[in-house]
Amino acid sequence: MASDVVMAQDSVDVPAVPNQLEQFTILAKSAKGAACLELIKQVLEAPGIHVFGELLAMPNIAELANGPNAKYWNTLNLFAYGTYKQYTKNPKDYLELTPVMKKKLQHLTIVTMAVHTKCIPYNQLLEELEIKNVRDLEDLIIEAIYSDIIHGKLDQKNCQLEIDSALGRDIRTEDIALIWKVLKEWSQSCDSVLGCIEEQINRANSEKARRTKHKEQIEQEIINVKKALKTQLTDADEAMTSDQRETTPGQECRKKSCKSKSGRPIGKSWFKPFT
């Protein structure tokens, strides 16, 4: 068995269900009696529908909470906010789940667990989902990934599910204040990080400007030194040329008297010719 099985969200083509929730919502507005109850069952089994807050907010469905058909409202509320563990603790309070409903509720339970941690151990999943063996658990997780409910991978070596992202579930009204608090703290943290980044940018710009100025100063000094050296070399060349051109009259006369026009030495010869 491979130690790490990676599941990509585009590994299979999941058929889209366009506006299916909207269609159920429209039908629910006029549904009464048995039609309303049947609609709830269809919504709970419908693929691609994992949020139910809009239906719960409808008056004709909300009134089921306190009537003889409270199990329908309880079950819809369970799928919106609850987990599979809550269902197994008090199954008499809910409708009897079909295999399709059971699997959907288990998938939603994984989504809820992913909110608290991105690495969910197999033993926690087995307990919360009440599954007997790892093979069935992995099959359930793979179906959730293929259904675009969660994105992640099975880490079989470490016996855990690694979550990259998951769909959002319905939010209770009483949870809005907590969410607002978390978002506010997150916003403040972002402002703090942004302030630190801007400070680092300003510091980097100042350092860059200082280095640029220092570089320009060095380059100007190099230019000045080159000019000075060039001036010194020019003056030295002019001085040497002037020295070569300057000669005394006595030296010229001595040079001329040393040789005759024919190029022979001038003066009396000390050698006699042969007779």
Side-chain angles (χ1 to χ4, degrees), residues 101-118:
M101 293 179 185
K102 176 182 175 182
K103 186 172 295 184
K104 179 185 285 193
L105 185 56
Q106 288 174 326
H107 288 166
L108 292 172
T109 301
I110 296 175
V111 173
T112 297
M113 296 176 71
V115 173
H116 304 286
T117 178
K118 296 303 180 182

Side-chain angles (χ1 to χ4, degrees), residues 192-211:
S192 177
V193 172
L194 182 60
C196 292
I197 293 174
E198 290 178 349
E199 182 180 350
Q200 293 294 330
I201 292 174
N202 293 334
R203 187 179 302 174
N205 289 337
S206 299
E207 180 65 17
K208 180 181 178 181
R210 186 189 68 80
R211 290 178 180 271

Side-chain angles (χ1 to χ4, degrees), residues 17-44:
V17 186
N19 300 323
Q20 190 172 4
L21 177 60
E22 183 179 353
Q23 294 174 8
F24 277 110
T25 303
I26 294 173
L27 291 174
K29 291 180 179 179
S30 57
K32 298 291 184 181
C36 184
L37 303 181
E38 183 61 27
L39 184 139
I40 291 176
K41 285 183 178 181
Q42 292 179 9
V43 168
L44 296 178

Side-chain angles (χ1 to χ4, degrees), residues 142-208:
I142 292 172
E143 290 180 6
I145 294 174
Y146 284 169
S147 300
D148 210 29
I149 297 172
I150 60 174
H151 299 158
K153 64 181 180 180
L154 297 172
D155 185 353
Q156 295 175 322
K157 180 178 179 180
N158 297 311
C159 295
Q160 64 183 8
L161 168 63
E162 296 181 3
I163 299 290
D164 295 327
S165 61
L167 59 79
R169 297 194 67 181
D170 292 288
I171 300 173
R172 297 179 186 272
T173 304
E174 54 268 26
D175 294 334
I176 294 178
L178 178 60
I179 294 173
W180 178 84
K181 180 182 178 182
V182 172
L183 291 176
K184 183 179 179 180
E185 292 176 352
W186 176 77
S187 177
Q188 292 173 346
S189 298
C190 290
D191 291 339
S192 177
V193 172
L194 182 60
C196 292
I197 293 174
E198 290 178 349
E199 182 180 350
Q200 293 294 330
I201 292 174
N202 293 334
R203 187 179 302 174
N205 289 337
S206 299
E207 180 65 17
K208 180 181 178 181

Side-chain angles (χ1 to χ4, degrees), residues 223-251:
I223 293 173
N224 294 338
V225 170
K226 287 182 177 180
K227 287 182 178 179
L229 289 174
K230 185 176 181 180
T231 301
Q232 291 178 4
L233 291 174
T234 302
D235 293 344
D237 290 341
E238 291 178 353
M240 290 178 65
T241 303
S242 177
D243 290 343
Q244 290 175 355
R245 290 177 179 176
E246 291 178 356
T247 56
T248 59
Q251 290 175 335

